[in-house]
Amino acid sequence: GQQVMQIPQYQHVQEGEDFTTYCNSSTTLSNIQWYKQRPGGHPVFLIQLVKSGEVKKQKRLTFQFGEAKKNSSLHITATQTTDVGTYFCAAYTGTASKLTFGTGTRLQVTL
Amino acid sequence: GAGVSQSPRYKVAKRGQDVALRCDPISGHVSLFWYQQALGQGPEFLTYFQNEAQLDKSGLPSDRFFAERPEGSVSTLKIQRTQQEDSAVYLCASSPGTLSYNEQFFGPGTRLTVL
């Protein structure tokens, strides 16, 4: 079935360094959502991208949707310890109700 | 309520027991979703309700899994004859509309451990 892959699986950075996670699909996506899950917590919605080539920013976070709508990225500038968690991309695949989550990228930030 | 709530937060069951997990979505939210999240993995879709109608149950792993939302608000996920592979966090999410463009609001989850 439809799979949404993310790389890297894990990244460890020092506070202040930048971080990027990439999300790839084999098929064209209608939209893509990003969620953050803190350790021991539940997924929290960050943003949704709909348009080809769309770029959205939230403070230090920049989200991009590829021109072909098959890939997306999340870039964090100058990471902070509060950025620790797992970042998932997610897309509706197959039916309009089935949200398929990517494999996730776990971010660890140390001082 | 302020957000999606789930109960119990933790459940330990002996293999073969039946369990029932409850989800209280955000008031007025039309859509309700159940997910299963294994350790170190992303949430996996189980089923979807639009009001009281279960429109998609394609993710339910076996006929031991059953979900209902009889009055279009509270939902219950029931697992019969639990197996060790059922151990996971079960997440409930709700969404205000019916379109796939809406964000989903997740509850804290129920961590099920089957011994």
PDB file of all heavy atoms in Angstrom, chain B residues 64-93:
ATOM      1  N   ARG B  64     -11.165  -9.297  15.709  1.00  0.00           N
ATOM      2  CA  ARG B  64     -11.194  -9.148  17.164  1.00  0.00           C
ATOM      3  C   ARG B  64     -11.344  -7.667  17.557  1.00  0.00           C
ATOM      4  O   ARG B  64     -11.632  -7.361  18.706  1.00  0.00           O
ATOM      5  CB  ARG B  64      -9.907  -9.705  17.778  1.00  0.00           C
ATOM      6  CG  ARG B  64      -9.720 -11.214  17.598  1.00  0.00           C
ATOM      7  CD  ARG B  64      -8.506 -11.721  18.366  1.00  0.00           C
ATOM      8  NE  ARG B  64      -7.251 -11.167  17.862  1.00  0.00           N
ATOM      9  CZ  ARG B  64      -6.570 -10.212  18.485  1.00  0.00           C
ATOM     10  NH1 ARG B  64      -7.001  -9.698  19.637  1.00  0.00           N
ATOM     11  NH2 ARG B  64      -5.435  -9.775  17.958  1.00  0.00           N
ATOM     12  N   PHE B  65     -11.109  -6.798  16.598  1.00  0.00           N
ATOM     13  CA  PHE B  65     -11.188  -5.361  16.843  1.00  0.00           C
ATOM     14  C   PHE B  65     -12.537  -4.842  16.369  1.00  0.00           C
ATOM     15  O   PHE B  65     -12.953  -5.095  15.236  1.00  0.00           O
ATOM     16  CB  PHE B  65     -10.074  -4.623  16.094  1.00  0.00           C
ATOM     17  CG  PHE B  65      -8.702  -4.808  16.686  1.00  0.00           C
ATOM     18  CD1 PHE B  65      -8.052  -6.017  16.586  1.00  0.00           C
ATOM     19  CD2 PHE B  65      -8.072  -3.760  17.339  1.00  0.00           C
ATOM     20  CE1 PHE B  65      -6.781  -6.204  17.132  1.00  0.00           C
ATOM     21  CE2 PHE B  65      -6.804  -3.924  17.882  1.00  0.00           C
ATOM     22  CZ  PHE B  65      -6.172  -5.142  17.773  1.00  0.00           C
ATOM     23  N   PHE B  66     -13.170  -4.078  17.240  1.00  0.00           N
ATOM     24  CA  PHE B  66     -14.491  -3.549  16.929  1.00  0.00           C
ATOM     25  C   PHE B  66     -14.598  -2.143  17.506  1.00  0.00           C
ATOM     26  O   PHE B  66     -14.167  -1.894  18.632  1.00  0.00           O
ATOM     27  CB  PHE B  66     -15.559  -4.466  17.548  1.00  0.00           C
ATOM     28  CG  PHE B  66     -16.948  -3.927  17.496  1.00  0.00           C
ATOM     29  CD1 PHE B  66     -17.672  -3.969  16.317  1.00  0.00           C
ATOM     30  CD2 PHE B  66     -17.548  -3.379  18.618  1.00  0.00           C
ATOM     31  CE1 PHE B  66     -18.958  -3.476  16.249  1.00  0.00           C
ATOM     32  CE2 PHE B  66     -18.842  -2.888  18.566  1.00  0.00           C
ATOM     33  CZ  PHE B  66     -19.542  -2.934  17.381  1.00  0.00           C
ATOM     34  N   ALA B  67     -15.141  -1.218  16.748  1.00  0.00           N
ATOM     35  CA  ALA B  67     -15.299   0.149  17.237  1.00  0.00           C
ATOM     36  C   ALA B  67     -16.719   0.613  17.015  1.00  0.00           C
ATOM     37  O   ALA B  67     -17.381   0.183  16.062  1.00  0.00           O
ATOM     38  CB  ALA B  67     -14.322   1.088  16.530  1.00  0.00           C
ATOM     39  N   GLU B  68     -17.174   1.486  17.883  1.00  0.00           N
ATOM     40  CA  GLU B  68     -18.526   2.035  17.745  1.00  0.00           C
ATOM     41  C   GLU B  68     -18.557   3.467  18.235  1.00  0.00           C
ATOM     42  O   GLU B  68     -17.726   3.884  19.055  1.00  0.00           O
ATOM     43  CB  GLU B  68     -19.537   1.176  18.514  1.00  0.00           C
ATOM     44  CG  GLU B  68     -19.272   1.064  19.994  1.00  0.00           C
ATOM     45  CD  GLU B  68     -20.268   0.151  20.698  1.00  0.00           C
ATOM     46  OE1 GLU B  68     -21.124  -0.465  20.032  1.00  0.00           O
ATOM     47  OE2 GLU B  68     -20.186   0.050  21.932  1.00  0.00           O
ATOM     48  N   ARG B  69     -19.559   4.185  17.750  1.00  0.00           N
ATOM     49  CA  ARG B  69     -19.772   5.578  18.144  1.00  0.00           C
ATOM     50  C   ARG B  69     -21.283   5.818  18.026  1.00  0.00           C
ATOM     51  O   ARG B  69     -21.743   6.555  17.151  1.00  0.00           O
ATOM     52  CB  ARG B  69     -18.993   6.526  17.231  1.00  0.00           C
ATOM     53  CG  ARG B  69     -18.904   7.952  17.727  1.00  0.00           C
ATOM     54  CD  ARG B  69     -18.241   8.856  16.692  1.00  0.00           C
ATOM     55  NE  ARG B  69     -18.046  10.208  17.215  1.00  0.00           N
ATOM     56  CZ  ARG B  69     -17.820  11.261  16.438  1.00  0.00           C
ATOM     57  NH1 ARG B  69     -17.738  11.132  15.120  1.00  0.00           N
ATOM     58  NH2 ARG B  69     -17.642  12.446  16.974  1.00  0.00           N
ATOM     59  N   PRO B  70     -22.059   5.170  18.851  1.00  0.00           N
ATOM     60  CA  PRO B  70     -23.511   5.075  18.659  1.00  0.00           C
ATOM     61  C   PRO B  70     -24.271   6.397  18.608  1.00  0.00           C
ATOM     62  O   PRO B  70     -25.273   6.494  17.914  1.00  0.00           O
ATOM     63  CB  PRO B  70     -23.967   4.216  19.844  1.00  0.00           C
ATOM     64  CG  PRO B  70     -22.866   4.300  20.840  1.00  0.00           C
ATOM     65  CD  PRO B  70     -21.606   4.484  20.062  1.00  0.00           C
ATOM     66  N   GLU B  71     -23.808   7.409  19.336  1.00  0.00           N
ATOM     67  CA  GLU B  71     -24.533   8.673  19.349  1.00  0.00           C
ATOM     68  C   GLU B  71     -23.752   9.792  18.688  1.00  0.00           C
ATOM     69  O   GLU B  71     -24.088  10.968  18.837  1.00  0.00           O
ATOM     70  CB  GLU B  71     -24.908   9.033  20.791  1.00  0.00           C
ATOM     71  CG  GLU B  71     -25.841   8.011  21.432  1.00  0.00           C
ATOM     72  CD  GLU B  71     -26.190   8.348  22.868  1.00  0.00           C
ATOM     73  OE1 GLU B  71     -25.662   9.360  23.379  1.00  0.00           O
ATOM     74  OE2 GLU B  71     -26.986   7.608  23.471  1.00  0.00           O
ATOM     75  N   GLY B  72     -22.706   9.419  17.986  1.00  0.00           N
ATOM     76  CA  GLY B  72     -21.954  10.426  17.249  1.00  0.00           C
ATOM     77  C   GLY B  72     -21.045  11.281  18.093  1.00  0.00           C
ATOM     78  O   GLY B  72     -20.537  12.303  17.612  1.00  0.00           O
ATOM     79  N   SER B  73     -20.819  10.870  19.351  1.00  0.00           N
ATOM     80  CA  SER B  73     -19.867  11.625  20.173  1.00  0.00           C
ATOM     81  C   SER B  73     -18.818  10.664  20.717  1.00  0.00           C
ATOM     82  O   SER B  73     -17.837  10.386  20.031  1.00  0.00           O
ATOM     83  CB  SER B  73     -20.575  12.389  21.288  1.00  0.00           C
ATOM     84  OG  SER B  73     -21.369  11.509  22.063  1.00  0.00           O
ATOM     85  N   VAL B  74     -19.040  10.117  21.898  1.00  0.00           N
ATOM     86  CA  VAL B  74     -18.099   9.188  22.519  1.00  0.00           C
ATOM     87  C   VAL B  74     -17.936   7.939  21.652  1.00  0.00           C
ATOM     88  O   VAL B  74     -18.901   7.452  21.042  1.00  0.00           O
ATOM     89  CB  VAL B  74     -18.589   8.793  23.918  1.00  0.00           C
ATOM     90  CG1 VAL B  74     -17.756   7.657  24.495  1.00  0.00           C
ATOM     91  CG2 VAL B  74     -18.574  10.008  24.844  1.00  0.00           C
ATOM     92  N   SER B  75     -16.700   7.448  21.595  1.00  0.00           N
ATOM     93  CA  SER B  75     -16.429   6.228  20.836  1.00  0.00           C
ATOM     94  C   SER B  75     -15.725   5.217  21.730  1.00  0.00           C
ATOM     95  O   SER B  75     -14.990   5.577  22.659  1.00  0.00           O
ATOM     96  CB  SER B  75     -15.554   6.540  19.626  1.00  0.00           C
ATOM     97  OG  SER B  75     -15.224   5.352  18.918  1.00  0.00           O
ATOM     98  N   THR B  76     -15.960   3.954  21.438  1.00  0.00           N
ATOM     99  CA  THR B  76     -15.296   2.868  22.166  1.00  0.00           C
ATOM    100  C   THR B  76     -14.637   1.931  21.173  1.00  0.00           C
ATOM    101  O   THR B  76     -15.234   1.554  20.162  1.00  0.00           O
ATOM    102  CB  THR B  76     -16.314   2.069  23.006  1.00  0.00           C
ATOM    103  OG1 THR B  76     -16.989   2.953  23.893  1.00  0.00           O
ATOM    104  CG2 THR B  76     -15.596   1.002  23.828  1.00  0.00           C
ATOM    105  N   LEU B  77     -13.397   1.609  21.453  1.00  0.00           N
ATOM    106  CA  LEU B  77     -12.671   0.607  20.686  1.00  0.00           C
ATOM    107  C   LEU B  77     -12.577  -0.639  21.559  1.00  0.00           C
ATOM    108  O   LEU B  77     -12.069  -0.577  22.682  1.00  0.00           O
ATOM    109  CB  LEU B  77     -11.264   1.097  20.327  1.00  0.00           C
ATOM    110  CG  LEU B  77     -10.355   0.097  19.597  1.00  0.00           C
ATOM    111  CD1 LEU B  77     -10.885  -0.221  18.211  1.00  0.00           C
ATOM    112  CD2 LEU B  77      -8.928   0.645  19.505  1.00  0.00           C
ATOM    113  N   LYS B  78     -13.091  -1.733  21.059  1.00  0.00           N
ATOM    114  CA  LYS B  78     -13.079  -2.978  21.821  1.00  0.00           C
ATOM    115  C   LYS B  78     -12.165  -3.984  21.146  1.00  0.00           C
ATOM    116  O   LYS B  78     -12.195  -4.140  19.920  1.00  0.00           O
ATOM    117  CB  LYS B  78     -14.492  -3.537  21.927  1.00  0.00           C
ATOM    118  CG  LYS B  78     -15.454  -2.616  22.678  1.00  0.00           C
ATOM    119  CD  LYS B  78     -16.860  -3.202  22.747  1.00  0.00           C
ATOM    120  CE  LYS B  78     -17.794  -2.267  23.508  1.00  0.00           C
ATOM    121  NZ  LYS B  78     -19.183  -2.763  23.565  1.00  0.00           N
ATOM    122  N   ILE B  79     -11.366  -4.633  21.946  1.00  0.00           N
ATOM    123  CA  ILE B  79     -10.497  -5.686  21.441  1.00  0.00           C
ATOM    124  C   ILE B  79     -10.847  -6.963  22.192  1.00  0.00           C
ATOM    125  O   ILE B  79     -10.775  -7.009  23.425  1.00  0.00           O
ATOM    126  CB  ILE B  79      -9.007  -5.353  21.645  1.00  0.00           C
ATOM    127  CG1 ILE B  79      -8.682  -3.962  21.091  1.00  0.00           C
ATOM    128  CG2 ILE B  79      -8.131  -6.411  20.963  1.00  0.00           C
ATOM    129  CD1 ILE B  79      -7.265  -3.488  21.383  1.00  0.00           C
ATOM    130  N   GLN B  80     -11.239  -7.965  21.451  1.00  0.00           N
ATOM    131  CA  GLN B  80     -11.616  -9.231  22.069  1.00  0.00           C
ATOM    132  C   GLN B  80     -10.429 -10.189  22.048  1.00  0.00           C
ATOM    133  O   GLN B  80      -9.591 -10.146  21.136  1.00  0.00           O
ATOM    134  CB  GLN B  80     -12.795  -9.852  21.308  1.00  0.00           C
ATOM    135  CG  GLN B  80     -14.054  -9.007  21.340  1.00  0.00           C
ATOM    136  CD  GLN B  80     -15.171  -9.620  20.512  1.00  0.00           C
ATOM    137  OE1 GLN B  80     -14.927 -10.183  19.446  1.00  0.00           O
ATOM    138  NE2 GLN B  80     -16.398  -9.511  21.002  1.00  0.00           N
ATOM    139  N   ARG B  81     -10.389 -11.034  23.064  1.00  0.00           N
ATOM    140  CA  ARG B  81      -9.361 -12.089  23.127  1.00  0.00           C
ATOM    141  C   ARG B  81      -7.980 -11.519  22.817  1.00  0.00           C
ATOM    142  O   ARG B  81      -7.307 -11.920  21.864  1.00  0.00           O
ATOM    143  CB  ARG B  81      -9.706 -13.221  22.168  1.00  0.00           C
ATOM    144  CG  ARG B  81     -11.098 -13.803  22.400  1.00  0.00           C
ATOM    145  CD  ARG B  81     -11.383 -14.950  21.420  1.00  0.00           C
ATOM    146  NE  ARG B  81     -11.268 -14.561  20.009  1.00  0.00           N
ATOM    147  CZ  ARG B  81     -12.167 -13.892  19.329  1.00  0.00           C
ATOM    148  NH1 ARG B  81     -13.288 -13.502  19.932  1.00  0.00           N
ATOM    149  NH2 ARG B  81     -11.972 -13.596  18.061  1.00  0.00           N
ATOM    150  N   THR B  82      -7.554 -10.550  23.628  1.00  0.00           N
ATOM    151  CA  THR B  82      -6.308  -9.835  23.353  1.00  0.00           C
ATOM    152  C   THR B  82      -5.123 -10.779  23.205  1.00  0.00           C
ATOM    153  O   THR B  82      -5.036 -11.820  23.866  1.00  0.00           O
ATOM    154  CB  THR B  82      -6.006  -8.826  24.470  1.00  0.00           C
ATOM    155  OG1 THR B  82      -6.053  -9.490  25.742  1.00  0.00           O
ATOM    156  CG2 THR B  82      -6.988  -7.675  24.451  1.00  0.00           C
ATOM    157  N   GLN B  83      -4.220 -10.379  22.321  1.00  0.00           N
ATOM    158  CA  GLN B  83      -2.979 -11.097  22.065  1.00  0.00           C
ATOM    159  C   GLN B  83      -1.810 -10.170  22.379  1.00  0.00           C
ATOM    160  O   GLN B  83      -1.966  -8.936  22.410  1.00  0.00           O
ATOM    161  CB  GLN B  83      -2.912 -11.529  20.599  1.00  0.00           C
ATOM    162  CG  GLN B  83      -4.093 -12.371  20.143  1.00  0.00           C
ATOM    163  CD  GLN B  83      -4.137 -13.725  20.837  1.00  0.00           C
ATOM    164  OE1 GLN B  83      -3.111 -14.384  20.978  1.00  0.00           O
ATOM    165  NE2 GLN B  83      -5.320 -14.125  21.304  1.00  0.00           N
ATOM    166  N   GLN B  84      -0.634 -10.743  22.556  1.00  0.00           N
ATOM    167  CA  GLN B  84       0.532  -9.931  22.899  1.00  0.00           C
ATOM    168  C   GLN B  84       0.837  -8.904  21.810  1.00  0.00           C
ATOM    169  O   GLN B  84       1.275  -7.785  22.119  1.00  0.00           O
ATOM    170  CB  GLN B  84       1.746 -10.823  23.165  1.00  0.00           C
ATOM    171  CG  GLN B  84       1.682 -11.534  24.503  1.00  0.00           C
ATOM    172  CD  GLN B  84       2.979 -12.227  24.865  1.00  0.00           C
ATOM    173  OE1 GLN B  84       3.674 -12.737  23.999  1.00  0.00           O
ATOM    174  NE2 GLN B  84       3.293 -12.258  26.147  1.00  0.00           N
ATOM    175  N   GLU B  85       0.576  -9.244  20.566  1.00  0.00           N
ATOM    176  CA  GLU B  85       0.863  -8.305  19.480  1.00  0.00           C
ATOM    177  C   GLU B  85      -0.080  -7.095  19.481  1.00  0.00           C
ATOM    178  O   GLU B  85       0.123  -6.147  18.720  1.00  0.00           O
ATOM    179  CB  GLU B  85       0.802  -8.989  18.105  1.00  0.00           C
ATOM    180  CG  GLU B  85      -0.544  -9.590  17.760  1.00  0.00           C
ATOM    181  CD  GLU B  85      -0.614 -11.077  18.044  1.00  0.00           C
ATOM    182  OE1 GLU B  85       0.093 -11.544  18.969  1.00  0.00           O
ATOM    183  OE2 GLU B  85      -1.389 -11.761  17.345  1.00  0.00           O
ATOM    184  N   ASP B  86      -1.114  -7.145  20.324  1.00  0.00           N
ATOM    185  CA  ASP B  86      -2.012  -6.000  20.437  1.00  0.00           C
ATOM    186  C   ASP B  86      -1.429  -4.915  21.340  1.00  0.00           C
ATOM    187  O   ASP B  86      -1.973  -3.801  21.413  1.00  0.00           O
ATOM    188  CB  ASP B  86      -3.373  -6.427  21.011  1.00  0.00           C
ATOM    189  CG  ASP B  86      -4.085  -7.449  20.144  1.00  0.00           C
ATOM    190  OD1 ASP B  86      -3.817  -7.491  18.921  1.00  0.00           O
ATOM    191  OD2 ASP B  86      -4.896  -8.224  20.693  1.00  0.00           O
ATOM    192  N   SER B  87      -0.353  -5.215  22.034  1.00  0.00           N
ATOM    193  CA  SER B  87       0.281  -4.233  22.917  1.00  0.00           C
ATOM    194  C   SER B  87       0.754  -3.040  22.095  1.00  0.00           C
ATOM    195  O   SER B  87       1.522  -3.180  21.147  1.00  0.00           O
ATOM    196  CB  SER B  87       1.477  -4.863  23.645  1.00  0.00           C
ATOM    197  OG  SER B  87       1.053  -5.887  24.521  1.00  0.00           O
ATOM    198  N   ALA B  88       0.264  -1.863  22.464  1.00  0.00           N
ATOM    199  CA  ALA B  88       0.554  -0.642  21.712  1.00  0.00           C
ATOM    200  C   ALA B  88      -0.137   0.513  22.420  1.00  0.00           C
ATOM    201  O   ALA B  88      -0.873   0.310  23.396  1.00  0.00           O
ATOM    202  CB  ALA B  88       0.038  -0.743  20.274  1.00  0.00           C
ATOM    203  N   VAL B  89       0.095   1.710  21.913  1.00  0.00           N
ATOM    204  CA  VAL B  89      -0.684   2.865  22.359  1.00  0.00           C
ATOM    205  C   VAL B  89      -1.811   3.071  21.340  1.00  0.00           C
ATOM    206  O   VAL B  89      -1.569   3.084  20.126  1.00  0.00           O
ATOM    207  CB  VAL B  89       0.179   4.136  22.446  1.00  0.00           C
ATOM    208  CG1 VAL B  89      -0.689   5.345  22.771  1.00  0.00           C
ATOM    209  CG2 VAL B  89       1.261   3.969  23.506  1.00  0.00           C
ATOM    210  N   TYR B  90      -3.004   3.188  21.841  1.00  0.00           N
ATOM    211  CA  TYR B  90      -4.170   3.418  20.980  1.00  0.00           C
ATOM    212  C   TYR B  90      -4.566   4.881  21.101  1.00  0.00           C
ATOM    213  O   TYR B  90      -4.922   5.357  22.168  1.00  0.00           O
ATOM    214  CB  TYR B  90      -5.312   2.474  21.362  1.00  0.00           C
ATOM    215  CG  TYR B  90      -4.960   1.058  20.980  1.00  0.00           C
ATOM    216  CD1 TYR B  90      -4.231   0.244  21.842  1.00  0.00           C
ATOM    217  CD2 TYR B  90      -5.297   0.546  19.721  1.00  0.00           C
ATOM    218  CE1 TYR B  90      -3.849  -1.040  21.476  1.00  0.00           C
ATOM    219  CE2 TYR B  90      -4.933  -0.736  19.351  1.00  0.00           C
ATOM    220  CZ  TYR B  90      -4.197  -1.516  20.227  1.00  0.00           C
ATOM    221  OH  TYR B  90      -3.824  -2.787  19.845  1.00  0.00           O
ATOM    222  N   LEU B  91      -4.470   5.568  19.980  1.00  0.00           N
ATOM    223  CA  LEU B  91      -4.737   6.999  19.926  1.00  0.00           C
ATOM    224  C   LEU B  91      -6.092   7.258  19.273  1.00  0.00           C
ATOM    225  O   LEU B  91      -6.441   6.624  18.286  1.00  0.00           O
ATOM    226  CB  LEU B  91      -3.658   7.702  19.103  1.00  0.00           C
ATOM    227  CG  LEU B  91      -2.238   7.698  19.675  1.00  0.00           C
ATOM    228  CD1 LEU B  91      -1.231   8.051  18.594  1.00  0.00           C
ATOM    229  CD2 LEU B  91      -2.120   8.670  20.837  1.00  0.00           C
ATOM    230  N   CYS B  92      -6.777   8.212  19.827  1.00  0.00           N
ATOM    231  CA  CYS B  92      -8.025   8.679  19.241  1.00  0.00           C
ATOM    232  C   CYS B  92      -7.790  10.119  18.785  1.00  0.00           C
ATOM    233  O   CYS B  92      -7.052  10.874  19.438  1.00  0.00           O
ATOM    234  CB  CYS B  92      -9.132   8.614  20.280  1.00  0.00           C
ATOM    235  SG  CYS B  92     -10.696   9.334  19.764  1.00  0.00           S
ATOM    236  N   ALA B  93      -8.369  10.491  17.671  1.00  0.00           N
ATOM    237  CA  ALA B  93      -8.267  11.862  17.184  1.00  0.00           C
ATOM    238  C   ALA B  93      -9.622  12.312  16.677  1.00  0.00           C
ATOM    239  O   ALA B  93     -10.422  11.500  16.197  1.00  0.00           O
ATOM    240  CB  ALA B  93      -7.227  11.964  16.068  1.00  0.00           C
TER     241      ALA B  93
END
